[in-house]
Amino acid sequence: MLLELAIILVVAKLFGYLMVKLGFPAALGQLIGGIIIGPSLLNIVEYSQEVRFLAELGVIILLFLAGLETDVEEFKHVGLSAFIVATMGVFVPFLLGYLIAIVYGYRSLAALFLGGILTATSVGLTTSILMEMKKLRTKVGTTILAAAIVDDVLGIIILTILVAMSSRGRVEIFDIEIILAEVIIFFLLGIFIGHPIVKEVLMLSEKITLPETVTTFAIVIMLLFAYLAEKFQLAGITGAYLAGLLVSMSEGSKKVTDKMMTIGYSLFIPIFLVSIGIETDIKVLATAGVFAIVYSLIAIIGKILGCGFGALVTKFKPAEALQVGIGMIPRMEVALIIANVGLKEGILTRGTLAIPVTMVVVTTLVTPFLLKLAFSRG
C-alpha cells in the first residue's frame, strides 16, 4: 500500500503539472495519469482497499471544501438570469443523458446516474480562458460564474436523490417526492439547528491550546455530518457539503479553508482523482465507443441548449447566449464524484465508468477552442 500511495501521489502531481502547463486543469492530468498506471495500461497499481478508503475520504474533503468556498451571500444575489441558466443547464443535459442511456439499453437507475453525471459544470477552465481574454467581468462572464454556484448545488441535490433511490431500490415518482422532501428537511435541520452548534463548537475549540485544534474540530464536524447524511439514507458527501457551508458562515472559516486545502490537495484529493483513472477500464471503449462519443456530444449539446435557452429567456443576445452555453460545457470534479458514487453503489461498472471519463476528457479539451471561437464571432 505504501508503494502504491507513493506512486499515485507522484503521478498526480507530475501529470497535473503537465496539464496545467498545456493550459488544462490539473485534475485532467491526474485522471489520465490514473488510467496510464492502472489495469487498463501499465497495471502498476492494483488499487488496494486502503487506497480506496483514502480516495473516499478525498471525495468527502472535496465536497467539504466546496461548501467552505460557497459564498452564501453571493448565492443569495446571483440573480434571476444565473438561476434560470443553471436550472435549464441542469435539466436539459440530465433529460438528454437519461433518454440516450435508455435508448442504448441501460436500466432505469443506471440511466438516471448517467444523466446526473451530465448536470454539474466545472468552470475552472472557462474562468482561466475568460481571464486570458479579459472577458471574466463582462455580463457573460459574471453569469457563468454565478450560474456555476447554483449548478453545483443542484448537482449535489440530484446526486443525493439518486443515492437515496439506489439505497431503496425504487425509482417511482412518489418516492422521488419523498426523497426530495427528506433532502430539504435535512438541509433545513442542518442550517437552523446545526449552524449555532457548529459556531459554538468552533468557538470553544479555539480555547483548547493545542496545535490545529480548530482544524481538527472542523474535520470532526465534516465527518459527523457525512455520517448523519448516510443515516438519512442520503449521500455522505451531501453532509460534508452542508458541514462546509455551515463552517463557512462561522468566524475563522478562512483559516480552516486554508488548512483543509493543504490536507486535501496534498494527499486525499489527488488520490481520489487518480483512483478514478485507475478504476476506469478503457478497453470497454472498443465495444461501447459509439455510446461514449454520443454521450460526450450530448454533454456538449445539452449545456449549449439548456444554458443558452436560459440566457435567451433572460434577455441575452443570441451570440451572448451561445457564449454562456459554451462556457458551462466543461465537466470535472462533481461529474467524477457522481460517477464514483454510482460505481460504489453498484449502479455503474468499471467498464461503464470509461464512458463518463471519456466525456470529461472531451468536454475539457473542446471548451477552449469553442469558447474562443464564440467570442471571436460575438
Side-chain angles (χ1 to χ4, degrees):
M1 184 198 77
L2 297 176
L3 181 59
E4 284 185 341
L5 199 56
I7 292 170
I8 288 170
L9 290 174
V10 168
V11 166
K13 294 305 177 184
L14 290 181
F15 277 81
Y17 176 72
L18 179 61
M19 279 296 125
V20 169
K21 295 298 284 184
L22 293 173
F24 294 101
L28 180 62
Q30 292 165 346
L31 183 65
I32 293 170
I35 292 172
I36 292 171
I37 64 173
S40 287
L41 293 175
L42 299 181
N43 199 23
I44 297 172
V45 176
E46 294 181 0
Y47 198 51
S48 64
Q49 286 298 318
E50 293 85 355
V51 173
R52 186 185 301 274
F53 172 71
L54 293 176
E56 289 176 5
L57 273 178
V59 180
I60 289 173
I61 291 172
L62 191 59
L63 265 294
F64 182 61
L65 280 168
L68 281 170
E69 294 181 325
T70 298
D71 189 328
V72 178
E73 290 305 312
E74 186 180 348
F75 186 75
K76 290 177 184 175
H77 300 101
V78 288
L80 184 62
S81 293
F83 184 80
I84 293 174
V85 166
T87 303
M88 292 303 298
V90 165
F91 174 73
V92 174
F94 180 83
L95 181 62
L96 292 177
Y98 170 76
L99 291 175
I100 198 67
I102 291 292
V103 168
Y104 273 83
Y106 285 89
R107 57 196 179 92
S108 186
L109 202 50
L112 285 170
F113 262 89
L114 286 168
I117 289 166
L118 297 184
T119 58
T121 295
S122 175
V123 295
L125 179 63
T126 299
T127 301
S128 65
I129 297 165
L130 292 176
M131 286 177 68
E132 178 190 324
M133 296 190 297
K134 295 182 172 35
K135 300 288 186 181
L136 188 61
R137 296 303 170 192
T138 62
K139 183 182 176 184
V140 169
T142 305
T143 302
I144 289 171
L145 290 178
I149 298 170
V150 183
D151 210 56
D152 281 347
V153 175
L154 293 176
I156 290 163
I157 290 172
I158 287 171
L159 171 61
T160 304
I161 293 170
L162 291 176
V163 170
M165 289 166 63
S166 170
S167 64
R168 300 167 202 205
R170 301 188 301 241
V171 294
E172 287 85 359
I173 295 296
F174 180 69
D175 294 314
I176 296 174
E177 292 173 353
I178 293 173
I179 293 166
L180 186 57
E182 289 177 355
V183 172
I184 294 169
I185 290 168
F186 179 74
F187 270 88
L188 289 176
L189 288 175
I191 291 168
F192 289 106
I193 297 175
H195 182 223
I197 295 173
V198 166
K199 188 176 180 180
E200 190 65 28
V201 167
L202 291 177
M203 285 175 63
L204 289 172
S205 70
E206 290 179 346
K207 297 178 181 179
I208 301 175
T209 55
L210 288 173
E212 304 301 342
T213 304
V214 176
T215 306
T216 299
F217 274 87
I219 292 171
V220 169
I221 291 165
M222 173 189 77
L223 295 173
L224 284 176
F225 270 81
Y227 169 78
L228 289 172
E230 291 188 347
K231 283 298 179 183
F232 265 72
Q233 289 187 298
L234 306 175
I237 56 176
T238 304
Y241 178 80
L242 179 57
L245 206 60
L246 296 178
V247 172
S248 75
M249 293 188 282
S250 305
E251 288 183 19
S253 62
K254 177 67 168 63
K255 189 186 295 183
V256 172
T257 302
D258 291 341
K259 298 295 183 182
M260 291 305 299
M261 290 278 283
T262 301
I263 293 168
Y265 283 98
S266 62
L267 178 63
F268 297 100
I269 295 170
I271 291 173
F272 162 64
L273 292 168
V274 173
S275 75
I276 292 290
I278 293 171
E279 290 204 283
T280 301
D281 184 3
I282 61 170
K283 297 182 184 71
V284 76
L285 295 178
T287 54
V290 174
F291 178 66
I293 293 168
V294 172
Y295 185 73
S296 299
L297 288 174
I298 288 293
I300 295 167
I301 294 167
K303 283 292 182 185
I304 292 175
L305 290 179
C307 297
F309 177 75
L312 283 174
V313 167
T314 52
K315 309 293 191 235
F316 277 78
K317 296 175 183 175
E320 292 174 331
L322 179 62
Q323 291 162 2
V324 170
I326 292 171
M328 299 288 283
I329 286 173
R331 315 300 207 282
M332 190 56 71
E333 292 87 355
V334 177
L336 294 174
I337 287 168
I338 297 175
N340 185 62
V341 171
L343 183 68
K344 182 183 170 185
E345 293 287 320
I347 306 302
L348 304 180
T349 64
R350 281 190 65 239
T352 311
L353 191 63
I355 294 164
V357 166
T358 301
M359 179 274 298
V360 165
V361 174
V362 170
T363 56
T364 302
L365 293 177
V366 302
T367 300
F369 170 75
L370 292 178
L371 200 57
K372 289 177 180 178
L373 187 64
F375 271 97
S376 68
R377 294 189 174 184

